[in-house]
Amino acid sequence: MPTLSSRAGRATLALLMLTLSALAIVVASLPTPGRAADPITVLTSDFEDGTSQGWARRGTVEAVENSTAVAHAGSRSLLTSGRTASWNGPSRDLLATVTRGTRYTYSVWARAAAGAGSVQLRMSVERRWQGTANYEQVVNSTTVTDGGWTQLTGGYTLANDADFFAVYVETVSGTASFHLDDFNLSYLPASPIQTDIPSLKTVFANDFPIGAAVGRPQLLAERGQLLAKHFNSVTAGNAMKWDATEPTEGAFTYTDADAIVAFARGNGMKVRGHTFVWHNQTPAWVFNDASGQPMTATAANKTLLLARLEAHIRAVGGRYANDVSAWDVVNEVIDENQSDGLRRSTWYTITGLDYIRTAFRVARQVAPNAKLFINDYNTNVAAKRDKLYNLVAQLKAEGVPIDGVGHQQHGNISWPTGAETDSMIATFLPLGVEQQITEMDTSIYTSSSESFTTPPADRLASQAARYKAWFDVYRKYKANITSVTFWGLADDETWLDSYPVSRKDFPLLFDVQLQAKPAYWAVIGAASPTATGPASPSTSASSSPSPSASRSPSASPSASTSPSPSPSPSASRSPSASPSASASPSPSVSTSPSTGGCRVKYTVTNQWNTGFQGDVVVTNTGSAAVNGWALRWTFANGQVINQSWSSTYAQSGANVTITNAAWNGVIGANGGTASFGFLSSWSGTNATPTTFTLNGATCVLG
C-alpha cells in the first residue's frame, strides 16, 4: 500500500549514466501520440451575476451567499459563513452534468474570510444510491489563508450508479468562514489506446505476470481496454480493504470487489487480494471494546480483537477463495526504528504477534489455494529489510504458513538503485519464499518543493532509466519473483497526486491520456529474450462492461498513511549525471584486437507493426579474453535502432556499431559471452544481418 517515505538520492552514478545514455534520445525518437487535446469545460461558477449559481449549503444553518468582499477574478465570490460544524459548506449538484466513466478535473479558488487567518480546506464528492451515501475526497487537506487565493485541483471518476451526486468544500476542523471563486469542471477527450505496441503481459509471458492496482474507474471504457491489453494480473487497490468490505461489524459490502474480480475473470487475469490486516483504513469499531470504548491491552480485548479478525478473514477470504491467487495477508507491520522491528499499531499493542499468526492461519484455512504474503514498503533499505527477514524467519520456524514476501517498491527517479533492489531480493532467497513486487511506481520528484504541470523530458528519461534498472533485477531473479504489479494503471489517476503534497505526478508507464511513455519502452527493453511476440492489434482486448454497483473505491489510495521516515532523508538531491547521447555515428572506443574466433546469436524476440526488439549474444571462442569490444553489422532493409541496453549504439546509414557498457567490456576466453538488446524500427521486410565483426574480426553465426 502506498506509503512513500523520504527518498534518498543514492543512485549509483555510473549505472545511471550508462542507462541514461541508452535512453537519452528515447523521448524524441520513440513513437509518441500527437499533441494532447485541450480540456473541455462543462461547468463554471464565477458568481459575477450576483447569485450562488446553484451552490447551496450542506447544513441547516450556515449561509452560502454571493459576496463582494473579495474576488479571485471580477468583483464577486461565494461566501460561506455561520457554520456550526466542519462538514458545513457549499455544495453543487452535478448529477445531470457528469457522465459515468469519464474522469473530470475539479478546480476552485479558495480563500479564508477576513480575520479567519489560516484554514485547512478539502474538496470532496458525495454520491448516493438507493439510500446509501458515500463520501470521497477529490482534493486533500490544503491550507488557505485570508491573505490570498489558493487553488484546489483534483480529479475524480464517477464509476458507480448514483441517484445523487454533488461536489462540496468543507474545513478539516473548525467552523471558519471562507470564500470560493472560479470553480471549473472539465475533462480531456478520451484518446484511443495504442493497439499496435507490444502488450506487457505478452512480452513478459515467460518471466512473471504483470499487474496493476485498480478501482472501478479503471474497468471502464479506454482504461478497461488498456488494462486488458497489457496486464494479466490485477490488485484491488482499495475495494478489498477492511473499510471497504466491512465498514460496520457484520455488514459486508462487495460491490466494487466483485466488479474487479468479474473483470479479471472475464479477461483471464489473476487477482491479488489486498489486504486483510493493516493499521490504516481499518474502521474504528474494530479497535473498540465490548462497551464501545477504545481497547486497552487486556486479555478480554485480545480475545475480542482476534475473533473479529478471524470473522473478517473468513467472510472476505472465503468469498474470493476461488478467484484470488495471492493475498497480502498482513501489510506494513515493520518499524525498523523499534528494537524488535515491529510496528506499534493497535493490532500489536493488543495482541502482540498473535494477530499475524491468526491472520495467516485463518487465511490458509479459507483460501487453501492462494499464496499468502507479508507485504511492506522500503524493503530495499537494509535496516527495514533485515527486520522483515528476521520476522519472516521466526514465523516460518513456528509453522506460520507464510508463502511469500511482497516488496512495494515505491520509488522515485533517483532511488532505489538497481543494486539496492538486487540486495532486497537476494536477502530473502535463503528463506525459500516467493517474492512479488506489489505496488511499484516511480515519482518524477525528488523533493516536496518541486511541481510540474507537464513532466520535463529529462525527468521522463530518468524515470525510464530507473524502471529499466529495476526490471533488469526482476528478470535476473525471475525464478524467485512470481508477480510484478504497478500501483495504478496510468498517470491520469495516481495516489501520488496527493501524497506527500498535492501536485500532479507522473509515476507510471502510461500518461494521462493512456499513451505509452519512455518508461514503457524502457521496460519493454528489459524483456526476457525468450518472451513471445506481442498480440496483433486485432486481438487487443476491448473494454468489458462493468456491472452496476452502489459503491466506489477510495479516490486516493492510501493517501492517509503516516509513513515512517526513511533512514536516508536526503530526498531533495537529484542524480548528478550527464547523459551522453548514444547515436553518435563515430563512437570512440578502446578495444583490444580479437585474437581468436567469435560467434554471434542475433534474435528478433518481439516484432510489431512498426518496430521490433532484438537481442544479441556474443561468444568469444578464442583463447584470449577480449578487453573492450565493438560489434558491427549492416542492416539490409532500412532498419533504424532507437534504443539499446547493456551497450551503447551508433548508426550511420545502414551501418551499426554496438560498443560495450562500462561493466561488460571483458569477454572471457574459450566461451565467455556478452549480451545486449535494442529496439529498432522496420517497414516491409526485417531481414537478419548476415555479417558481424567483433573488433574487426568476422564472427560465425549461431
Side-chain angles (χ1 to χ4, degrees):
M1 150 153 8
T3 304
L4 260 182
S5 298
S6 303
R7 299 310 193 196
R10 297 173 292 162
T12 302
L13 180 57
L15 178 61
L16 182 61
M17 289 179 67
L18 165 69
T19 312
L20 281 173
S21 70
L23 294 168
I25 64 168
V26 167
V27 176
S29 63
L30 287 175
T32 55
R35 176 183 175 274
D38 293 328
I40 295 176
T41 297
V42 297
L43 180 68
T44 60
S45 299
D46 61 9
F47 310 110
E48 293 302 305
D49 63 359
T51 74
S52 63
Q53 296 185 349
W55 291 78
R57 64 189 185 192
R58 298 186 71 222
T60 59
V61 295
E62 78 268 27
V64 175
E65 56 192 353
N66 197 283
S67 169
T68 57
V70 291
H72 173 254
S75 59
R76 295 178 178 272
S77 63
L78 186 73
L79 172 66
T80 301
S81 60
R83 303 167 65 244
T84 59
S86 61
W87 60 268
N88 293 163
S91 174
R92 180 63 160 84
D93 184 359
L94 299 176
L95 184 62
T97 305
V98 301
T99 300
R100 184 172 178 264
T102 297
R103 182 169 179 81
Y104 291 89
T105 297
Y106 294 71
S107 174
V108 70
W109 290 88
R111 176 175 179 154
S118 178
V119 179
Q120 287 276 310
L121 295 183
R122 60 189 173 201
M123 180 162 51
S124 303
V125 292
E126 178 181 359
R127 176 180 53 82
R128 302 178 199 157
W129 176 246
Q130 297 178 346
T132 299
N134 291 272
Y135 308 92
E136 299 167 77
Q137 287 188 23
V138 177
V139 181
N140 288 338
S141 303
T142 303
T143 300
V144 303
T145 70
D146 58 5
W149 291 90
T150 300
Q151 189 176 30
L152 311 182
T153 302
Y156 180 79
T157 304
L158 177 63
N160 300 70
D161 289 337
D163 48 33
F164 175 87
F165 183 74
V167 63
Y168 61 92
V169 179
E170 61 185 347
T171 53
V172 176
S173 61
T175 57
S177 301
F178 59 88
H179 294 265
L180 300 182
D181 202 0
D182 293 330
F183 173 82
N184 183 274
L185 181 69
S186 64
Y187 70 93
L188 285 173
S191 296
I193 70 165
Q194 296 157 294
T195 59
D196 60 347
I197 62 175
S199 297
L200 291 168
K201 64 183 180 183
T202 305
V203 169
F204 290 97
N206 294 331
D207 298 325
F208 29 67
I210 296 290
V214 300
R216 286 293 295 276
Q218 283 71 45
L219 311 182
L220 305 176
E222 286 81 9
R223 293 188 201 171
Q225 296 171 29
L226 187 72
L227 180 62
K229 172 175 172 57
H230 286 285
F231 299 93
N232 51 7
S233 174
V234 293
T235 297
N238 280 298
M240 291 185 182
K241 291 175 183 172
W242 200 313
D243 62 346
T245 54
E246 193 183 6
T248 57
E249 188 166 12
F252 291 88
T253 177
Y254 298 111
T255 304
D256 289 341
D258 281 354
I260 292 170
V261 168
F263 184 94
R265 191 185 300 126
N267 288 280
M269 297 173 160
K270 293 179 178 291
V271 179
R272 297 192 78 261
H274 182 80
T275 175
F276 286 138
V277 184
W278 190 30
H279 59 278
N280 281 322
Q281 289 185 250
T282 302
W285 67 263
V286 176
F287 301 123
N288 288 339
D289 62 21
S291 65
Q293 298 302 308
M295 286 182 172
T296 56
T298 66
N301 283 339
K302 177 177 179 177
T303 299
L304 177 59
L305 185 56
L306 292 179
R308 286 172 174 168
L309 174 60
E310 179 166 352
H312 178 79
I313 294 176
R314 288 194 181 280
V316 180
R319 182 178 184 87
Y320 299 114
N322 295 326
D323 294 293
V324 173
S325 62
W327 273 103
D328 292 328
V329 177
V330 297
N331 190 63
E332 298 177 7
V333 302
I334 297 297
D335 179 356
E336 66 272 31
N337 297 308
Q338 301 291 338
S339 60
D340 59 4
L342 298 172
R343 181 183 293 277
R344 296 311 194 253
S345 65
T346 305
W347 290 109
Y348 180 81
T349 59
I350 302 299
T351 76
L353 283 179
D354 283 344
Y355 78 99
I356 300 177
R357 298 181 178 110
T358 298
F360 276 98
R361 172 181 59 81
V362 177
R364 175 65 83 225
Q365 292 174 4
V366 301
N369 298 320
K371 297 292 186 177
L372 307 181
F373 282 78
I374 184 169
N375 189 51
D376 221 313
Y377 67 97
N378 279 7
T379 52
N380 34 55
V381 176
K384 187 159 195 173
R385 177 193 69 209
D386 294 344
K387 294 290 177 61
L388 178 60
Y389 178 96
N390 293 338
L391 175 62
V392 175
Q394 173 189 338
L395 293 175
K396 284 186 67 65
E398 295 175 3
V400 176
I402 299 177
D403 296 315
V405 171
H407 307 284
Q408 293 185 10
Q409 197 78 349
H410 295 292
N412 65 28
I413 58 173
S414 66
W415 181 89
T417 64
E420 289 167 324
T421 302
D422 192 299
S423 296
M424 174 185 79
I425 302 297
T427 293
F428 291 91
L429 296 181
L431 293 178
V433 294
E434 291 186 16
Q435 299 187 62
Q436 295 189 351
I437 308 303
T438 58
E439 304 183 18
M440 178 175 51
D441 49 27
T442 306
S443 173
I444 67 167
Y445 299 110
T446 57
S447 77
S448 294
S449 63
E450 298 177 319
S451 182
F452 301 112
T453 302
T454 301
D458 64 329
R459 298 295 176 111
L460 293 178
S462 296
Q463 182 184 66
R466 183 65 48 209
Y467 272 121
K468 173 65 169 55
W470 294 351
F471 268 84
D472 282 343
V473 175
Y474 302 159
R475 279 192 52 222
K476 175 181 176 181
Y477 292 105
K478 66 180 182 179
N480 311 100
I481 294 177
T482 55
S483 180
V484 173
T485 295
F486 294 85
W487 198 254
L489 177 66
D491 289 346
D492 64 328
E493 186 166 343
T494 166
W495 73 292
L496 291 173
D497 285 349
S498 58
Y499 184 88
V501 297
S502 293
R503 62 188 172 188
K504 185 60 193 166
D505 210 324
F506 307 87
L508 298 164
L509 303 191
F510 301 96
D511 67 17
V512 295
Q513 290 197 296
L514 314 184
Q515 307 300 295
K517 295 164 54 182
Y520 161 86
W521 293 103
V523 167
I524 290 292
S528 170
T530 58
T532 58
S536 65
S538 62
T539 63
S540 65
S542 60
S543 173
S544 296
S546 176
S548 297
S550 61
R551 191 176 185 280
S552 69
S554 300
S556 301
S558 311
S560 62
T561 56
S562 299
S564 300
S566 169
S568 302
S570 56
S572 62
R573 184 172 66 84
S574 60
S576 176
S578 301
S580 58
S582 58
S584 171
S586 302
S588 176
V589 294
S590 177
T591 61
S592 62
S594 177
T595 58
C598 53
R599 184 172 64 250
V600 171
K601 183 178 180 180
Y602 176 102
T603 306
V604 174
T605 54
N606 293 289
Q607 183 167 293
W608 54 101
N609 287 359
T610 59
F612 70 97
Q613 174 187 332
D615 283 276
V616 179
V617 178
V618 182
T619 301
N620 177 12
T621 59
S623 59
V626 174
N627 186 12
W629 52 266
L631 185 73
R632 293 179 169 85
W633 73 79
T634 300
F635 278 129
N637 308 114
Q639 300 96 323
V640 176
I641 294 179
N642 49 47
Q643 178 185 342
S644 74
W645 50 95
S646 301
S647 62
T648 298
Y649 80 92
Q651 184 168 352
S652 177
N655 300 315
V656 176
T657 300
I658 303 288
T659 54
N660 59 272
W663 49 270
N664 66 352
V666 177
I667 309 178
N670 301 317
T673 63
S675 61
F676 62 90
F678 63 90
L679 294 179
S680 176
S681 64
W682 74 287
S683 178
T685 303
N686 185 20
T688 298
T690 58
T691 302
F692 295 84
T693 62
L694 180 68
N695 294 354
T698 301
C699 302
V700 299
L701 303 181

